[in-house]
Amino acid sequence: MPNLVSDNGLLISENPDPYELSDAITRLSRMSKDDVSKMRIASRNRWEKEYKAENNCREFAMELNGL
């Protein structure tokens, strides 16, 4: 799943131990406001491009019309 999380979050293992989870939370809490803002914008952009139902439904319908 690293391709889902790049500039828009932190990737932790499927079953993180308390230390890994604590480390991720600490890293997030120490981020600058600017970096948090960049991460938030990157997350929104990714959602808009890849996961927004309106876009996905339109693209899927176009693919079905092409069959």
Side-chain angles (χ1 to χ4, degrees):
M1 291 234 163
N3 60 330
L4 295 178
V5 181
S6 55
D7 59 346
N8 64 332
L10 298 177
L11 184 64
I12 58 174
S13 65
E14 183 177 338
N15 296 302
D17 62 36
Y19 298 105
E20 182 182 3
L21 193 52
S22 173
D23 180 58
I25 293 169
T26 299
R27 285 187 288 157
L28 286 171
S29 71
R30 292 182 177 165
M31 290 175 66
S32 70
K33 288 183 180 183
D34 187 50
D35 286 342
V36 170
S37 180
K38 288 176 185 176
M39 187 182 294
R40 184 175 54 246
I41 291 168
S43 295
R44 178 63 186 216
N45 289 341
R46 176 165 288 205
W47 176 79
E48 288 277 347
K49 181 180 177 187
E50 298 179 24
Y51 302 106
K52 188 175 180 182
E54 181 181 317
N55 296 339
N56 287 335
C57 291
R58 184 182 316 113
E59 289 176 20
F60 182 61
M62 290 170 60
E63 287 182 28
L64 288 177
N65 283 331
L67 294 177

